[in-house]
Amino acid sequence: MSESYRKLIQFSIFFLIAAIAVFFYMNGKDNTVMPHGSNMAMEDDGSDKMQEELASFKAALDEDPENLQTIIKIANLNYDLNQSDSAIVYYEKALEIEPDQADILTDCAVMHFREGNSEKALEYLEKAINLEPNLGQAWFNKGFILMAGMNEPVEAIAAWRKFIEIEPESKQAKFIKSQIEAIEANENN
């Protein structure tokens, strides 16, 4: 492979990652990009409200340390607050109670990715996919992590194709299709 072709591929990968990030950022948090399921609306003072809610849930957890729903709420709030390390602690605590929860595995994978551990993130996603093969979010995240964290475009495209198969009419599927076409067009030039 020539050096110019190699640089073109690297630029394409970088462009894809940047375009995905911008697309989902511009379309808001409630879209399919690695959500944990919280529908809390972010206001100007949303962080303060979430911190208050987090303190309340932690107090409730002191009263009932095995309450799965409270543990998940704490993990989700930490997710929203970009406190990956704390979110991981609570997601993993939830998984100790209910180990076969594909959504929790998927969310925990995202947090591991944010912490820079792509390998661990992929392990969690594989578990989630094995539990729920049609969980589109897990496939989407797997593709994103393979592309952004592992620089594995062929594997990423395969994961995204599975996501598109599961959620063909979603905005994200349409966007991903166009990005796959752009990558493949660059490979053929």
Side-chain angles (χ1 to χ4, degrees):
M1 175 182 331
S2 73
E3 185 63 26
S4 62
Y5 181 71
R6 184 183 204 141
K7 286 182 180 182
L8 178 62
I9 294 298
Q10 288 174 338
F11 174 78
S12 297
I13 291 170
F14 175 77
F15 176 78
L16 173 67
I17 294 167
I20 289 170
V22 168
F23 175 79
F24 292 116
Y25 177 78
M26 297 297 288
N27 282 298
K29 187 172 185 163
D30 290 330
N31 282 323
T32 310
V33 69
M34 301 185 200
H36 57 73
S38 172
N39 292 323
M40 176 176 280
M42 292 291 293
E43 300 172 8
D44 290 337
D45 61 344
S47 179
D48 290 339
K49 286 183 180 181
M50 286 193 303
Q51 290 290 356
E52 290 172 17
E53 195 170 356
L54 186 59
S56 173
F57 284 127
K58 284 183 177 180
L61 193 60
D62 288 341
E63 298 294 320
D64 185 5
E66 299 296 311
N67 186 311
L68 181 62
Q69 294 309 312
T70 302
I71 294 167
I72 293 169
K73 288 176 183 178
I74 293 170
N76 288 346
L77 284 166
N78 279 296
Y79 183 116
D80 286 341
L81 291 164
N82 292 316
Q83 298 171 349
S84 303
D85 54 343
S86 293
I88 289 169
V89 168
Y90 286 98
Y91 283 131
E92 289 183 352
K93 183 175 176 77
L95 290 167
E96 288 173 11
I97 296 168
E98 291 278 338
D100 294 337
Q101 297 294 314
D103 288 333
I104 297 170
L105 287 161
T106 300
D107 294 340
C108 196
V110 173
M111 296 297 95
H112 280 291
F113 176 70
R114 285 187 184 172
E115 288 291 303
N117 193 342
S118 297
E119 292 84 10
K120 186 74 167 178
L122 288 174
E123 285 177 34
Y124 276 79
L125 289 171
E126 287 301 324
K127 288 179 187 177
I129 289 167
N130 286 333
L131 289 167
E132 280 189 48
N134 289 322
L135 183 59
Q137 188 60 51
W139 287 103
F140 178 87
N141 292 351
K142 182 177 179 180
F144 187 85
I145 292 168
L146 284 165
M147 182 65 85
M150 310 291 282
N151 195 23
E152 298 286 347
V154 173
E155 291 84 354
I157 289 171
W160 282 330
R161 286 187 196 280
K162 182 65 178 174
F163 167 75
I164 292 166
E165 179 183 313
I166 295 167
E167 297 186 25
E169 299 303 317
S170 69
K171 289 181 193 177
Q172 293 78 10
K174 292 173 184 170
F175 178 76
I176 291 296
K177 283 180 196 175
S178 69
Q179 296 306 305
I180 290 171
E181 290 170 4
I183 290 171
E184 290 175 342
N186 282 330
E187 289 177 357
N188 292 329
N189 288 331

